[in-house]
Amino acid sequence: MADSGVVVVDKPADWTSHDVVAKTRGLARTRRVGHAGTLDPMATGVLVLGIEKGTKLLGHLTLTEKTYEATIRLGLVTNTDDAEGEPGARVDASAVTDAGVHAAVAKLTGPIQQVPPQVSAIKVDGKRAYKSAREGKEVALKARTVTVSQFDVTAIRHTPDGFVDVDAVITGSSGTYIRSLARDMGADLGVGGHLTALRRNRVGPYDLSQARTLDQLATEFTLVPLAHAVAAAFPVRTMDEAETRAIRHGNRISESSLGEGPVGLFAPDGSVIALGENRPGHMKPVVVFSPA
């Protein structure tokens, strides 16, 4: 059986996240592989996969922030808000100034209300929005609060055919759509916009320095062991023997001073036992990796 832990993949372009999971199942020789947040086929970069017991981490890792390098093209909209979609209205963006770009970026920085793209996995009346979009139906998607903590413009380029390409480094909370930022920047500037390139540099504590291509993983399957993965992503509490026994049985222990959680709960020998969260007056396990 494969070891438990996390694999950080540098996803290639034109692969779906499901494609990467399927390939990794073969490389790891286990069906128990999942991902912590998808990347669109067009995008490259960090895709965090859980292997065996590492899959239990994934629902908690998706709550963390992510950093991207993006290129936004002003002057054209698409039905997916990125370069994979059908082109729509074209507007000459040559009059857009650098100051205008920076002003639009400022409006999209910090806590903002963001409407997801029509082609997204958001469910409306029990149906994925992208499935409705494929049927030619537009659905009403509600705006959600997301936080864009970093939106640094690194280059602004005017093309001979009237487009403006904006390169940026963007950090957003879970649920932030970079495609929607491109769409909303273009709308604010009155010329439309869409995303033409996206590379994810970081998911929480996992970044490109730890990522391996699928070819590299086929040569040497590099896995972050479960204990190291938990320690990298969460505060660590080392329990005594009595607390360890309690948590292994799914019982509560004393409240943690490390915040609400999740907190990585470790046995005295350094093995990871569970993730815990504070409740009024106590801490309880929310994920148990090593039950009694």
Side-chain angles (χ1 to χ4, degrees):
M1 184 170 62
D3 291 335
S4 295
V6 162
V7 173
V8 185
V9 179
D10 186 347
K11 188 188 88 65
D14 301 324
W15 283 56
T16 68
S17 298
H18 179 74
D19 291 338
V20 176
V21 168
K23 177 69 173 178
T24 305
R25 282 175 176 153
L27 297 175
R29 298 180 182 177
T30 177
R31 296 291 301 169
R32 293 185 66 189
V33 179
H35 60 70
T38 62
L39 269 178
D40 291 334
M42 181 186 83
T44 67
V46 174
L47 184 66
V48 179
L49 306 182
I51 310 295
E52 292 291 338
K53 293 179 182 179
T55 58
K56 295 183 177 182
L57 284 175
L58 301 179
H60 301 281
L61 291 175
T62 56
L63 302 178
T64 194
E65 66 178 15
K66 304 172 178 70
T67 299
Y68 301 85
E69 291 179 17
T71 299
I72 297 166
R73 169 154 286 191
L74 301 173
L76 179 69
V77 299
T78 74
N79 65 341
T80 60
D81 302 324
D82 65 16
E84 295 187 314
E86 296 294 327
R90 164 77 191 272
V91 176
D92 186 346
S94 56
V96 171
T97 64
D98 289 9
V101 168
H102 287 289
V105 164
K107 295 177 186 177
L108 295 170
T109 305
I112 62 172
Q113 291 293 303
Q114 184 183 75
V115 177
Q118 282 289 313
V119 180
S120 66
I122 304 296
K123 282 188 175 181
V124 179
D125 297 328
K127 188 173 185 178
R128 301 286 185 189
Y130 67 80
K131 291 186 177 180
S132 297
R134 287 172 183 167
E135 296 168 0
K137 301 174 184 175
E138 186 167 324
V139 295
L141 293 167
K142 295 180 180 178
R144 303 183 301 173
T145 301
V146 299
T147 300
V148 178
S149 57
Q150 177 188 21
F151 199 150
D152 294 339
V153 174
T154 57
I156 301 173
R157 303 184 303 279
H158 288 253
T159 72
D161 46 357
F163 293 118
V164 177
D165 289 336
V166 180
D167 296 334
V169 177
I170 302 169
T171 299
S173 60
S174 180
T176 302
Y177 282 93
I178 310 302
R179 285 183 287 153
S180 291
L181 295 177
R183 175 199 67 205
D184 294 344
M185 178 191 288
D188 181 68
L189 291 166
V191 296
H194 69 283
L195 191 68
T196 59
L198 187 67
R199 181 161 177 78
R200 188 155 70 189
N201 293 344
R202 182 175 66 88
V203 175
Y206 309 110
D207 61 27
L208 283 171
S209 69
Q210 300 157 284
R212 300 293 180 267
T213 66
L214 291 171
D215 286 343
Q216 288 172 325
L217 290 170
T219 301
E220 180 184 2
F221 194 75
T222 307
L223 177 140
V224 180
L226 185 61
H228 293 177
V230 171
F234 306 101
V236 170
R237 174 178 176 175
T238 300
M239 303 178 291
D240 60 28
E241 294 289 358
E243 291 171 328
T244 299
R245 285 194 298 274
I247 289 295
R248 283 187 187 275
H249 284 90
N251 296 324
R252 62 182 64 178
I253 59 175
S254 63
E255 194 170 3
S256 170
S257 61
L258 298 172
E260 294 304 306
V263 170
L265 301 178
F266 286 71
D269 65 3
S271 60
V272 62
I273 306 301
L275 295 180
E277 290 183 351
N278 276 344
R279 298 291 188 269
H282 68 275
M283 170 165 275
K284 66 173 290 186
V286 291
V287 173
V288 179
F289 303 111
S290 183

